[in-house]
């Protein structure tokens, strides 16, 4: 899943793809590099990011989704918490609602997901984007993330979302310390064992710079991102949300070839 942030302030690529022509060019690059899904977002979720009004978010994402859908692009995902943005994105041709709040932003969100009939990514986050990195705390991060994800899947199912439309995501970097992120990355098999496809989003995140201070700039974090992606692949995640699509695709091809050459 290639990331296309249509925001002025995303942590790693904010402002780069403002405006439809630049966004479309980047989308085509990601597809050519091997992206099977594109994830388009019009509101940054980085700690301290300013909220975006619903009309502004729709104006950022919908024209690009519509143009890509007309082009016959791969499946399109919209990264939004807002049901009205998800609705507009699906009307324009998206088929996946990627929600970092796991359908908790508005009371009607689970019903809207069911009504839209789209796929839904339910992500774990402790707290809210503005303050989530202040003092994240867990007694058992894996058990708590798993319990949260199952509860949100139940809420989606109860609203009428079909089971095969639900994806889960541990939410790397969302209300998590370095240790929490590493514990989750080391136990992704536990999340995969919950019985839903898992999406992993570790690309260019700050924990990489904590482990390798020379990677302070987000666009210097591709090698660390690939290491995390391979850990995800090894654990059986179904999709990787990434910025560096070509480099990651190469790493995955080599990893898969080595895996397939092992005696069975
Ligand atoms: N991470 C970000 C945004 N959306 N969605 C899912 N499902 N999983 C993630 O890990 C995830 C996500 C943050 O990354 P990015 O989009 O690059 O930055 P920003 O939120 O600043 O736009």
């Amino acid at each position: 899943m290639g990331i296309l942030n249509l925001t002025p302030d995303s942590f790693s690529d904010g402002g780069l793809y403002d405006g439809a022509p630049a966004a479309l060019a980047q989308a085509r690059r990601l597809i050519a590099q091997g992206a099977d899904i594109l994830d388009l977002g019009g509101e940054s979720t980085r700690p301290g990011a300013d909220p975006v009004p619903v009309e502004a978010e729709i104006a950022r994402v919908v024209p690009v989704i519509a143009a890509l859908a007309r082009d016959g692009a791969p499946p399109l995902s919209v990264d939004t918490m807002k049901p009205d943005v998800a609705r507009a994105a699906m009307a324009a041709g998206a088929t996946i609602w990627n929600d970092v709040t796991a359908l908790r932003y508005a009371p009607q969100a689970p019903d809207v997901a069911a009504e839209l009939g789209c796929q839904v990514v339910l992500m774990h986050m402790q707290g809210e984007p503005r303050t989530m990195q202040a003092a994240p705390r867990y007694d058992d991060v894996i058990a708590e993330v798993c319990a949260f994800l199952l509860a949100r899947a139940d809420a989606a199912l109860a609203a009428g979302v079909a089971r095969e439309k639900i994806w889960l995501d541990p939410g790397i970097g969302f209300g998590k310390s370095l240790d929490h992120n590493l514990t989750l990355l080391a136990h992704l098999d536990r999340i995969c064992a919950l019985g839903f496809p898992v999406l992993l989003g570790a690309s260019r995140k700050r924990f990489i710079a904590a482990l390798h201070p020379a990677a302070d700039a987000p666009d210097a974090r591709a090698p660390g991102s690939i290491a995390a992606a391979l850990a995800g692949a090894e654990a059986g995640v179904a999709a990787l949300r990434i910025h560096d699509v070509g480099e990651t695709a190469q790493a995955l091809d080599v990893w898969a070839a080595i895996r397939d050459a092992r005696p069975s």
Side-chain angles (χ1 to χ4, degrees), residues 220-240:
R221 299 177 191 160
S225 305
I226 292 170
L230 294 178
E234 194 76 47
V237 308
L240 300 158

Side-chain angles (χ1 to χ4, degrees), residues 116-151:
L116 292 172
C118 56
Q119 302 197 54
V120 194
V121 180
L122 304 172
M123 195 198 79
H124 176 272
M125 166 166 48
Q126 185 179 83
E128 54 163 73
R130 217 165 29 81
T131 52
M132 64 191 177
Q133 288 308 108
R137 211 194 149 273
Y138 301 84
D139 291 322
D140 179 338
V141 66
I142 303 163
E144 287 169 50
V145 168
C146 287
F148 171 92
L149 292 174
L150 283 180

Side-chain angles (χ1 to χ4, degrees), residues 1-184:
M1 174 188 273
I3 301 170
L4 189 49
N5 281 319
L6 306 167
T7 51
D9 58 344
S10 285
F11 79 93
S12 90
D13 53 1
L16 281 184
Y17 312 120
D18 270 354
L24 289 173
Q26 174 63 1
R28 291 192 188 105
R29 256 193 304 276
L30 295 174
I31 295 166
Q33 289 173 350
D36 296 317
I37 304 172
L38 293 182
D39 186 43
L40 296 92
E43 177 176 48
S44 174
T45 48
R46 77 185 156 76
D50 289 329
V52 179
V54 67
E55 301 75 23
E57 202 179 327
I58 288 176
R60 286 178 186 173
V61 296
V62 162
V64 181
I65 290 174
L68 286 169
R70 269 197 305 273
D71 267 12
L76 303 172
S77 156
V78 64
D79 186 352
T80 186
M81 340 183 180
K82 302 189 186 89
D84 287 346
V85 177
R87 200 189 287 282
M90 299 311 147
T95 54
I96 305 169
W97 180 0
N98 173 22
D99 184 0
V100 299
T101 72
L103 305 177
R104 292 177 302 153
Y105 177 79
Q108 74 276 22
D111 293 333
V112 173
E115 174 205 321
L116 292 172
C118 56
Q119 302 197 54
V120 194
V121 180
L122 304 172
M123 195 198 79
H124 176 272
M125 166 166 48
Q126 185 179 83
E128 54 163 73
R130 217 165 29 81
T131 52
M132 64 191 177
Q133 288 308 108
R137 211 194 149 273
Y138 301 84
D139 291 322
D140 179 338
V141 66
I142 303 163
E144 287 169 50
V145 168
C146 287
F148 171 92
L149 292 174
L150 283 180
R152 294 315 299 158
D154 281 346
L157 290 166
V161 176
R163 191 177 177 88
E164 63 274 14
K165 305 261 177 183
I166 297 175
W167 294 61
L168 304 179
D169 182 333
I172 298 298
F174 283 83
K176 281 140 193 132
S177 68
L178 174 62
D179 276 358
H180 299 141
N181 287 322
L182 291 175
T183 304
L184 285 166

